[in-house]
Amino acid sequence: MAHVVVVTSGKGGVGKTTSTAAMGAALAQHGEKVVVIDFDVGLRNLDLVLGAERRVVFDLINVITGVAKLSQALIRDKRLENLHLLPASQTRDKDALTEEGVAKVIDELRTKFDWIICDSPAGIERGATLAMRHADAAIIVTNPEVSSVRDSDRIIGLLDSKTVKAENGERVEKHLLITRYHPSRAARGEMMTIEDVLEILSTPLLGIIPESEEVLRASNIGSPVTLSNALSAPARAYFDAARRLRGEIVPMIVPSENKGIFNKLFGRKAA
Amino acid sequence: MTLFKMFRRGSAPIARERLQILLAHERVTRNQPDLLGILREEILAVISRHVPFEPDKVQIKLDRGKSVSTLEVDIEIPNGFGAALAKAS
């Protein structure tokens, strides 16, 4: 059975698109059939992060308005044959994103894929509410920082009230993905800890992605971090998160300070 | 939170405390209708039945205190409205 998952956060810049690409790729690397959909009409970026920006011909809006067939708009990843992208439109015609149109596209995708991952735009407007509308599960991407945590709380409220599942008296399965975590800053009391964020949002933890230059490098070269450097700390964290999303029990590793011997002896500020 | 404590413990505990207070409040008010909007409309409807005023000369403010909140309605009414009232009665 297909799973529809929304990657959402409320706040912008916390790592939704990066996490959509990495989680989608990690699931595909496990052999699952995956499609990632960009819902950010007018400001699409998932194509760029996946390195498929020059291969976009048709997009989600074209499919909804009947200009193109779904099979024409889907872009197959060049490295992972199980991974597909449905890009957003770059035009400003946001009104073309209709509830019925999105429902139809999702229904068709459900027959073709194991995982349908919807990359939500920031905010709580139409694009964001439509991205979460048909979700069975949600990945709430949060940074350990006050504005991100507050917005995540707001988004959790919307997931519990404005989704098809919620309206039918069911629950959208919610998972918290903490990104850009600095272990050393948390240890010094400069950044909220994982426990702090979990206690405030009381949502089960899917994974902790440490702040890493590998994440920036991955987007620079247009590759999900799980492909560009599969052994790096963020890639391993995304692989573990993908396994948890599939229902596996994987022990949670809280990133710790990676201090060299020099820093251990002479410096406290390793980060 | 004193400055001394801030230096010793970092600012994360402050972030956590502020969020806990804020979210406790926001979760309660989240699914309620826009109280201020409703009050504004109904109060203005009642007053406009008796006194003419310009809608943009109206200011409504709601201050939330720890134990009491205050609703402040400030309406600018043109002079001479008393005569109009007397005439009507």
Side-chain angles (χ1 to χ4, degrees):
Chain A
M1 208 192 81
H3 302 80
V4 180
V5 182
V6 60
V7 178
T8 182
S9 69
K11 191 174 183 299
V14 296
K16 282 182 297 298
T17 301
T18 308
S19 296
T20 302
M23 292 293 291
L27 286 167
Q29 283 165 282
H30 276 295
E32 307 265 2
K33 231 179 150 200
V34 182
V35 60
V36 290
I37 315 179
D38 193 343
F39 272 84
D40 206 343
V41 174
L43 289 169
R44 75 168 174 226
N45 273 318
L46 189 54
D47 55 332
L48 190 56
V49 169
L50 283 170
E53 69 276 13
R54 295 170 66 178
R55 299 171 61 208
V56 176
V57 183
F58 296 113
D59 56 56
L60 176 61
I61 301 279
N62 292 146
V63 177
I64 287 174
T65 54
V67 172
K69 281 190 224 153
L70 184 57
S71 55
Q72 292 176 295
L74 285 173
I75 302 168
R76 181 191 287 245
D77 189 88
K78 283 197 165 158
R79 301 146 296 205
L80 288 168
E81 61 165 19
N82 283 348
L83 180 62
H84 293 73
L85 163 70
L86 183 54
S89 168
Q90 194 63 314
T91 65
R92 270 175 284 165
D93 191 14
K94 274 192 190 167
D95 295 337
L97 205 62
T98 59
E99 161 126 34
E100 304 75 46
V102 171
K104 223 179 126 210
V105 171
I106 300 266
D107 280 343
E108 200 179 337
L109 289 170
R110 274 184 195 270
T111 65
K112 295 181 159 74
F113 293 94
D114 301 319
W115 295 89
I116 299 151
I117 306 183
C118 307
D119 183 19
S120 172
I124 50 171
E125 302 301 318
R126 190 191 191 89
T129 51
L130 280 178
M132 69 168 67
R133 184 81 190 135
H134 302 276
D136 304 312
I139 298 174
I140 301 133
V141 182
T142 305
N143 295 164
E145 175 271 327
V146 284
S147 53
S148 175
V149 173
R150 181 201 206 171
D151 290 359
S152 293
D153 191 74
R154 184 86 197 276
I155 285 290
I156 290 167
L158 292 178
L159 286 165
D160 287 337
S161 60
K162 305 281 184 201
T163 52
V164 172
K165 279 228 157 187
E167 286 171 8
N168 291 336
E170 295 170 72
R171 289 184 77 83
V172 172
E173 202 182 290
K174 295 184 294 280
H175 306 275
L176 195 67
L177 186 69
I178 298 179
T179 55
R180 315 201 72 158
Y181 182 68
H182 290 260
S184 56
R185 285 186 166 178
R188 289 198 298 269
E190 294 168 10
M191 177 180 258
M192 278 185 284
T193 62
I194 303 294
E195 293 77 37
D196 289 340
V197 178
L198 289 181
E199 192 192 322
I200 293 167
L201 293 177
S202 40
T203 300
L205 184 61
L206 184 69
I208 307 158
I209 315 299
E211 172 79 45
S212 164
E213 58 197 24
E214 283 301 324
V215 175
L216 178 61
R217 191 180 157 266
S219 70
N220 283 347
I221 63 173
S223 166
V225 71
T226 54
L227 272 175
S228 66
N229 187 348
L231 296 175
S232 63
R236 281 182 295 170
Y238 277 121
F239 278 123
D240 283 354
R243 287 172 62 194
R244 290 185 196 106
L245 193 64
R246 292 169 80 209
E248 289 179 46
I249 310 281
V250 183
M252 187 72 64
I253 298 163
V254 179
S256 58
E257 292 179 74
N258 254 337
K259 280 186 179 175
I261 183 79
F262 180 85
N263 281 321
K264 267 186 190 158
L265 289 174
F266 300 107
R268 291 202 333 129
K269 300 218 166 188
Chain B
M1 193 67 58
T2 64
L3 208 61
F4 177 67
K5 268 187 177 172
M6 265 178 69
F7 271 116
R8 275 195 65 198
R9 295 168 58 201
S11 54
I14 306 172
R16 177 196 149 110
E17 199 180 309
R18 288 177 61 219
L19 272 171
Q20 278 170 333
I21 294 167
L22 174 73
L23 293 182
H25 176 74
E26 284 189 345
R27 282 169 191 157
V28 174
T29 52
R30 189 183 285 154
N31 294 318
Q32 287 175 0
D34 172 22
L35 179 65
L36 197 59
I38 295 167
L39 280 176
R40 182 194 160 92
E41 260 176 48
E42 292 190 3
I43 291 170
L44 292 189
V46 169
I47 296 173
S48 67
R49 258 187 267 151
H50 304 285
V51 185
F53 62 87
E54 284 185 39
D56 52 343
K57 298 271 169 71
V58 177
Q59 281 191 26
I60 297 190
K61 230 170 89 185
L62 185 64
D63 263 331
R64 288 204 177 87
K66 266 194 182 149
S67 52
V68 197
S69 297
T70 56
L71 177 71
E72 201 180 304
V73 185
D74 186 338
I75 306 175
E76 203 180 300
I77 296 169
N79 283 337
F81 77 92
L85 266 186
K87 221 167 151 189
S89 60

